[in-house]
Amino acid sequence: MKLSIAILGTRGIPNYYGGFEHISEYVSAGLVKKGHSVTVYNSHNHPYTANSWNGVNIVHCYDPEYLIGTAGQFAYDFNCIMDARRRKFDVVLLMGYTSSSVWGTLYPTGSTIITNMDGLEWKRSKYSRPVQKFLKYAEKLAIKHSQYYISDSRVIRAYLQDKYCVDSRYIPYGADLFSEQERELFDKSEVLKEDYFLLMARMEPENNIETILEGFNNSSSRKCFMVLGDTSNRFGKFITHKFKNDDRIQFKGANFDNSVVRALQNNSYLYFHGHSVGGTNPSLLEAMASEALIAAHNNPFNKSVLNSDAFYFDNAAEVKHLVENVQRHDTERAMVKNNLKKIQYQFNWDVVINDYEDFIIECYRKQKDGKIIEA
């Protein structure tokens, strides 16, 4: 069965922003290779301006976020939804619900509606209480107006079952194993192997960047600490100012060159992953696939992916302890190998794309038959 599929809810592909854009790249191109007609909606401000990418159709919709801030996201999603109504896709896949579920009554009535339910957005500390309250409401609307659901984490799947009594299909993100070609491409003169710590994240409080850097700042380590992420927002400016006197901390800005990021992860002494809210985080999987030794914030999302194959921290004192005490011997090498096996057999892009195709087709068939499916 070959379907016409639209992917909404992202800023667009190729990825210049985050997780949903990242997975939309792989899933859209993968579904095209399987013979489906796939359309991804891009913000008109997206740097990629062509009308197709790797066989995927691109629709550029007006996005006023650059003019009016966050409210522009709601206008952008409205524009995408209204355009999708006219095109009569077989399936509409919504990546997230933050600014789209308020338009739930406008979702295309002739299309099968599937929503990837994202992480627990209302838990993000960057949001004020009124915004967190709204996000809980948006979550309820997404449940109400969608027909089927995807969870990228087993923790999220259990939450949706407990909170709303809905079944969702667990489909995580994926990653590609670090290849020999990537090893050869990396210029070893850029950095000394294993002579630096690394973190890569959006500059947001819930990513525990301040905690990680404070722990390192208080340590006696002589290594440097590379920070990848756009620091132009309010929190990013706060972080760079707070640690400006520590010459060991190097803010490198955002980098969307995947080969460079993966090489940096591969060569790091210890990769810090501070994300505390959300599902299966793409940057964590990339670090695992790039053979990084990982120290992760101690929370159910990270532990459901890493299990015992990582070091964990809750606070700056524990970060300091890791920075000063972690070694790279047989036990640590085994942790890296175990994470590689997870990527190879569990968080594999071919498996992820197949799971998306199977679920999309299953949902479409059952919706047309007027039946409810069990995830």
Side-chain angles (χ1 to χ4, degrees):
M1 177 180 287
K2 306 305 178 185
L3 301 175
S4 62
I5 302 163
I7 299 178
L8 285 72
T10 79
R11 285 171 168 80
I13 60 171
N15 176 28
Y16 287 90
Y17 187 73
F20 275 146
E21 289 76 12
H22 183 74
I23 193 171
S24 294
E25 279 189 6
Y26 281 88
V27 170
S28 62
L31 291 174
V32 166
K33 288 180 181 178
K34 290 176 174 291
H36 301 283
S37 172
V38 183
T39 299
V40 173
Y41 281 78
N42 277 28
S43 164
H44 84 283
N45 292 312
H46 195 285
Y48 187 79
T49 58
N51 293 324
S52 65
W53 179 82
N54 287 355
V56 179
N57 302 314
I58 304 293
V59 174
H60 303 271
C61 272
Y62 179 66
D63 176 4
E65 184 179 3
Y66 74 107
L67 288 175
I68 59 176
T70 302
Q73 297 176 19
F74 294 86
Y76 168 60
D77 279 336
F78 173 82
N79 292 335
C80 295
I81 290 166
M82 295 307 290
D83 185 90
R85 284 169 63 92
R86 293 190 292 270
R87 295 178 190 261
K88 303 184 184 306
F89 296 104
D90 294 322
V91 176
V92 170
L93 174 60
L94 292 152
M95 306 302 277
Y97 57 81
T98 301
S99 52
S100 61
S101 64
V102 295
W103 309 115
T105 57
L106 298 175
Y107 288 170
T109 55
S111 303
T112 300
I113 307 297
I114 305 171
T115 296
N116 186 316
M117 290 298 293
D118 202 357
L120 305 181
E121 292 299 293
W122 48 268
K123 278 193 170 184
R124 294 189 185 275
S125 57
K126 69 176 181 178
Y127 296 128
S128 65
R129 284 188 178 275
V131 172
Q132 289 175 334
K133 185 176 181 179
F134 165 77
L135 290 172
K136 283 188 177 182
Y137 174 65
E139 183 180 87
K140 291 179 182 178
L141 290 178
I143 294 295
K144 177 180 179 180
H145 294 296
S146 302
Q147 294 155 348
Y148 306 106
Y149 315 92
I150 293 172
S151 299
D152 66 30
S153 165
R154 288 191 173 91
V155 179
I156 299 297
R157 187 173 190 264
Y159 164 78
L160 294 175
Q161 179 64 57
D162 293 343
K163 178 72 174 178
Y164 299 104
C165 297
V166 299
D167 289 316
S168 61
R169 180 64 55 87
Y170 165 64
I171 309 178
Y173 287 85
D176 295 313
L177 295 174
F178 197 72
S179 67
E180 292 304 317
Q181 291 87 345
E182 287 178 299
R183 293 181 208 282
E184 293 171 5
L185 285 172
F186 183 62
D187 182 359
K188 289 294 195 301
S189 66
E190 283 190 36
V191 291
L192 297 175
K193 184 172 178 64
E194 298 181 358
D195 200 40
Y196 60 95
F197 300 100
L198 178 69
L199 74 79
M200 181 178 72
R202 276 189 254 165
M203 296 296 117
E204 297 173 353
E206 64 266 15
N207 290 338
N208 287 287
I209 298 163
E210 184 177 8
T211 297
I212 294 168
L213 295 183
E214 186 174 327
F216 176 77
N217 179 248
N218 293 332
S219 77
S220 59
S221 175
R222 294 184 179 181
K223 299 182 187 298
C224 69
F225 200 122
M226 291 190 188
V227 181
L228 299 184
D230 183 359
T231 57
S232 63
N233 65 2
R234 183 176 179 180
F235 187 73
K237 291 175 181 176
F238 163 74
I239 287 292
T240 53
H241 178 76
K242 178 170 181 176
F243 298 104
K244 66 180 180 180
N245 293 325
D246 190 335
D247 294 335
R248 300 171 300 169
I249 299 176
Q250 302 174 8
F251 293 96
K252 297 291 189 178
N255 194 321
F256 292 97
D257 186 332
N258 205 41
S259 62
V260 172
V261 171
R262 283 163 64 86
L264 288 171
Q265 291 172 329
N266 176 264
N267 283 274
S268 64
Y269 187 83
L270 186 61
Y271 178 85
F272 280 89
H273 182 77
H275 295 65
S276 60
V277 178
T280 305
N281 185 267
S283 63
L284 176 58
L285 298 183
E286 291 290 349
M288 294 163 64
S290 299
E291 303 172 19
L293 181 63
I294 296 168
H297 182 263
N298 185 19
N299 64 69
F301 301 105
N302 294 336
K303 297 190 88 166
S304 69
V305 174
L306 294 161
N307 301 312
S308 60
D309 298 311
F311 299 99
Y312 292 98
F313 63 89
D314 285 298
N315 51 53
E318 292 176 353
V319 171
K320 178 178 182 292
H321 177 79
L322 292 175
V323 165
E324 294 179 339
N325 292 282
V326 165
Q327 303 296 313
R328 294 185 64 101
H329 299 315
D330 288 345
T331 299
E332 289 75 21
R333 283 191 282 270
M335 293 162 71
V336 171
K337 288 181 180 178
N338 289 340
N339 284 331
L340 277 176
K341 289 179 182 177
K342 296 186 185 86
I343 298 298
Q344 187 174 3
Y345 297 109
Q346 184 179 358
F347 303 106
N348 176 289
W349 276 123
D350 288 338
V351 173
V352 170
I353 291 165
N354 286 338
D355 286 349
Y356 263 89
E357 183 189 36
D358 290 345
F359 189 57
I360 287 170
I361 290 175
E362 187 180 354
C363 292
Y364 175 77
R365 283 176 169 164
K366 294 295 178 69
Q367 186 66 23
K368 293 306 174 185
D369 290 342
K371 298 177 181 177
I372 298 174
I373 75 168
E374 293 293 329

